[in-house]
Amino acid sequence: MASEFTRMNRDIWSSDEFLDLSASAQHLYFVLWTHPNLSFCGSVEWHPGKLSTRASDLTPELVIEAGMELARNLFIVVDPETEEVLVRSWIKHDGLCRQPNMAVAMSKDRANLSSRSLRGVVVHEVAKLRVSEPGLSAWKRDQVVNLLGQNAVDPAELLASNPWLKGSVNPSRNPSVKGSFNPSGNPSGNPKPKGPVNPGRTTTTATATQTPTTKEEESSYVSTEGYDASATEPPPRYCPQHVDEPTTSPCHACGEARRAREVWDRNEAHAVKLAQSSEAKRRAKFIQDAIDECELCDERGYFGTTVCEHNPERVETNRRGVARVREALAETAKRKADDEQL
């Protein structure tokens, strides 16, 4: 997690590129920008199912559609293979590189990315920032120097060769997504999810025991057995027979599917809380380590009455600024005195 607060430049509303986006793409951009698990290099896990929980009417399909729009316009870069997304300009606009310790944290989080493509895009963006702001002391830190020595990847070139944006790759790895291939031939579009992938969670399955009463029902009936509460994608709220056309009539299989989904939702909510708690502890430790290493601030992280930036050059910069102010005041006083003598 990058921080409790994030900088959002209001000038974004003067960008024609941003104004040309759809409302859903703009919303997803803000969701990613303010995501509680966003790393110091502007990355977060790309899980359309989880991201769709950020609004009541959002679905994984809508997240994928908005994500493709953002990716085509280079607002984000997605690696569907490693399930990671990078907010391309986050490093630039959040101002991390103006604080040497934060630049080091950004370098460490970049190294933790599984996607080599996204790691290369981070190098590309930091290199551009070094050209535009060459005087930053962050460029002298060993970790940042090492980062800039790695392979850079231009996101524009990556975009041209990204098969996901051409519709040949399903970024959610969910065959129910519109426009993707469904090799199982399941007309409901909701095949049994793979599972379990997290042995630490409680596995709950819903097994349908309803017995079809007619030959027609027997030929179309599909059991919900195998829907796993620990799967990465949520199980449907209805049985496969009614997933596209929910029924108001009693359906035992739908009841089992609904209960399986409720268990899955509770497990997901618990997992999110655990992840947020872990990130909060990591961030608190990072902040405390920065305070302990800094020779400028007190034990609370304050330099005088302001929050310390842990930048050794700040004292010298402030000293020069105060000296210039004093010189200007002295010059003004001298001119005033000369005018009175006249």
Side-chain angles (χ1 to χ4, degrees), residues 249-291:
S249 302
C251 177
H252 179 77
C254 284
E256 293 292 338
R258 182 178 67 254
R259 284 187 284 275
R261 176 59 179 267
E262 290 172 353
V263 172
W264 191 92
D265 288 340
R266 286 197 299 271
N267 288 344
E268 282 299 295
H270 181 64
V272 169
K273 289 182 180 179
L274 287 178
Q276 291 176 343
S277 175
S278 176
E279 287 294 335
K281 291 178 181 177
R282 185 178 76 90
R283 179 182 176 277
K285 184 180 184 303
F286 173 81
I287 293 175
Q288 188 59 53
D289 289 344
I291 292 174

Side-chain angles (χ1 to χ4, degrees), residues 67-83:
M68 286 183 169
E69 183 179 350
L70 289 173
R72 290 190 191 99
N73 290 278
L74 295 180
F75 283 93
I76 65 173
V77 183
V78 177
D79 190 328
E81 292 300 320
T82 61
E83 297 180 319

Side-chain angles (χ1 to χ4, degrees), residues 273-311:
K273 289 182 180 179
L274 287 178
Q276 291 176 343
S277 175
S278 176
E279 287 294 335
K281 291 178 181 177
R282 185 178 76 90
R283 179 182 176 277
K285 184 180 184 303
F286 173 81
I287 293 175
Q288 188 59 53
D289 289 344
I291 292 174
D292 294 342
E293 294 176 3
C294 183
E295 298 179 357
L296 302 176
C297 59
D298 58 21
E299 66 278 1
R300 299 176 304 155
Y302 277 81
F303 179 69
T305 58
T306 61
V307 177
C308 184
E309 296 181 358
H310 311 308
N311 185 357

